[in-house]
Amino acid sequence: MKPYLKRAWAEVSLAALKNNVSVIKKLNSPETEIMAVVKADAYGHGDEHIIKCLANDCEIKYFAVSNLDEAIAVRNFCPEAEILILGYTPPEYAHEIAMYNIIQGVVSKEYAESLTKNTPDPIRCHIKIDTGMGRIGLRYDSPQECAAEIAEIMKIGKINVEGIYTHFAVADSDSADNIAYTDRQEQFIIKTDDALKEMGIRLDHVHFMNSAATCYRNSPKSTLSRAGIILYGLHPDIALDIPSALRPVMELKAVISQVKNVESGTCISYGRTFTADRKMRVATVTIGYADGYSRLLSSKGEILVHSKRCKIIGRVCMDQLMIDVSDIPEAKSGDIVTLIGRDGDEIITADELAAIYGTIGYEVVCGISKRVPRIYID
């Protein structure tokens, strides 16, 4: 069966991806290169096609991933890429890190030493500094202390320190307190680099810009901008605007399997949470929570049918859901419907769905399940 003939599918626009790279490049200063964050299967968009497009069509050199498996996948797709593992790799896999020429994020001197004990080969690394995220990385009261620890790590044999980096906690907030907090984070890593330079240590990379910082506080002092969610055309935080030229890369579609007329008093779906209060036309759509369309959208979400919004009625099932098409007499079995994306003048975004059930757009696109084929459109 051809992928586009299946019951539900995601259309991924490589043209939109390339557009977004162009927009981000214009945000960055000449001193800053894009590091494309492609973890979690390229945020649910499908890693192979996204990575190859970024490398071959957009000339992206740097990629960031979460783990070793993702790093090896990038290496197989892009032999010349520079690949940073942002998270933890068990030290017993140090040989694979070296063999695949991966850059490992190092969070402590002890971790660096444990890596070297598991391979005879040099390990490339960027050292993570915890400037206020409270997650992983070196944590010190002063940049000078942090720089001293980095200098000690650099003395370990077979550890090649090429850069330092940190992650902002609230760069997607415009409150005065959070702006000040991010200022302190940024100043800490910059002053750490200054302290290293005073010790005669010059690194290739000092990076701290995530998607939010790239949009709202772009700095030429960050050699890389780790573009994640904005690469895919979504908001770091729905409360703040992103450049209007950024375009969502993914659309989610399904089909109507049946349309029926129901009488007032008819119950729809599990739990009888919805009862028709009038005669209605009800369409069944071939997608459900096993496809990544959340059950939390039950009786809350809307779907585009013939360029009009239709309400979901009753609970979203594992493989199906029902919508009210009483005002769309032309709706029929086989019609394509849009759950995320544009139809005519109407648009439903992943960010909109996220707002309905209290999460973020990241989770929506990452949650589209593997059984939903990705169709790539250029």
Side-chain angles (χ1 to χ4, degrees), residues 303-317:
I303 291 173
L304 302 181
V305 182
H306 290 281
S307 303
K308 297 178 182 177
R309 286 178 174 254
C310 296
K311 291 185 177 297
I312 296 171
I313 53 177
R315 288 180 179 165
V316 174
C317 307

Side-chain angles (χ1 to χ4, degrees), residues 200-212:
I201 298 171
R202 292 188 173 271
L203 302 173
D204 294 334
H205 291 289
V206 178
H207 52 105
F208 45 82
M209 287 200 302
N210 55 8
S211 284

